[in-house]
Amino acid sequence: MLRLETVSKKYRTSEVETSALNGVSLEIAPGEFVAVMGPSGCGKSTLLNILGLLDSPEQGAYWFFGEEVARRSERELTALRRTGVGFIFQSFNLIDDLNVAENVEVSLLYRGISGGERRRRVAAALERVGIAHRAKHLPHQLSGGQQQRVAIARALVAEPKLILADEPTGNLDTENGTAVMTLLTEINDAGTTVVMVTHSLVHAGYAKRTVKLLDGRVVSETQLAA
């Protein structure tokens, strides 16, 4: 289970202090699919970064699958993140000079996994997202939809407990956006917790619950019909 308790986060420059999250309390059950919505600047990305252990709250507490992590060291957070979280971004974030298989394998490096096991996992992840036939292609040789499939495979290959998707359909046309949402639904149905930031009401409808943010606060939660 993921649980935030009165979490606050501010960002400061020499001239400006911005409150990104303001007393957010939120629970996400294992295996849930949650869509986070709200206008630009409402705190969605900060929330996702804290859930994904990329950032820590200034105030409040965060339980990551039963472990209180709000005051953990960066080394401890990195270890938890590597084994527990997969990230999917709007801009794909693929490495231009690595082929598809190598881009996916990046998630498994530095984990003490043998080369043979890495290759097995990469092949299985690419097959799962329907892009195995492009394993030797470079990112620029793929369409946007294909690149996002590679990004999803990279998030899946380490078998994480949690997938965090930040506007995963934002750069895709309707057909490819629907295909990505279908993949995320299948991943969730297999037991992985998914939290997705989106501006699309249509794509939010794939989730089991919608959380709306405004000015760094949770203003509503809607349980969607199964």
Side-chain angles (χ1 to χ4, degrees):
M1 178 177 67
L2 310 178
R3 178 156 66 96
L4 299 174
E5 188 173 287
T6 59
V7 162
S8 295
K9 181 71 177 183
K10 294 180 180 180
Y11 295 102
R12 299 173 180 85
T13 67
S14 59
E15 299 179 353
V16 178
E17 179 178 273
T18 302
S19 180
L21 294 178
N22 190 358
V24 169
S25 295
L26 179 67
E27 291 193 25
I28 298 171
E32 197 172 8
F33 188 166
V34 176
V36 180
M37 304 189 74
S40 296
C42 71
K44 300 188 301 296
S45 294
T46 299
L47 175 62
L48 217 62
N49 286 341
I50 288 175
L51 290 175
L53 309 175
L54 292 171
D55 206 346
S56 298
E58 287 185 324
Q59 297 179 337
Y62 175 32
W63 282 266
F64 178 83
F65 289 92
E67 296 187 57
E68 212 295 318
V69 296
R71 304 295 177 262
R72 295 288 184 91
S73 69
E74 181 56 36
R75 177 177 291 183
E76 291 174 309
L77 292 178
T78 298
L80 284 170
R81 187 167 62 243
R82 282 179 176 172
T83 58
V85 187
F87 295 91
I88 303 169
F89 303 98
Q90 177 178 349
S91 56
F92 317 135
N93 288 5
L94 303 180
I95 301 171
D96 292 338
D97 56 355
L98 298 183
N99 67 31
V100 164
E102 291 166 341
N103 263 284
V104 174
E105 189 179 10
V106 162
S107 289
L108 299 176
L109 299 177
Y110 315 113
R111 297 189 187 201
I113 300 173
S114 69
E117 175 63 10
R118 291 201 307 270
R119 288 189 291 273
R120 185 197 67 77
R121 289 200 191 187
V122 168
L126 293 177
E127 188 68 34
R128 187 174 180 184
V129 302
I131 202 73
H133 62 295
R134 298 285 192 177
K136 299 301 182 183
H137 286 67
L138 294 172
H140 76 266
Q141 296 173 305
L142 306 178
S143 68
Q146 289 171 332
Q147 290 187 59
Q148 193 59 296
R149 286 175 181 268
V150 177
I152 293 172
R154 181 183 58 196
L156 290 174
V157 73
E159 301 172 355
K161 302 174 184 177
L162 172 66
I163 293 286
L164 298 176
D166 192 359
E167 294 284 358
T169 61
N171 285 335
L172 303 178
D173 60 24
T174 301
E175 181 179 356
N176 281 305
T178 299
V180 164
M181 292 310 306
T182 299
L183 273 173
L184 288 177
T185 301
E186 292 171 355
I187 292 164
N188 177 247
D189 287 344
T192 302
T193 305
V194 177
V195 181
M196 174 185 68
V197 165
T198 183
H199 283 101
S200 168
L201 287 170
V202 172
H203 294 158
Y206 285 80
K208 297 172 182 174
R209 180 160 56 109
T210 297
V211 174
K212 292 186 178 180
L213 297 184
L214 183 65
D215 298 331
R217 299 177 183 272
V218 174
V219 293
S220 70
E221 297 186 45
T222 304
Q223 194 76 31
L224 303 177

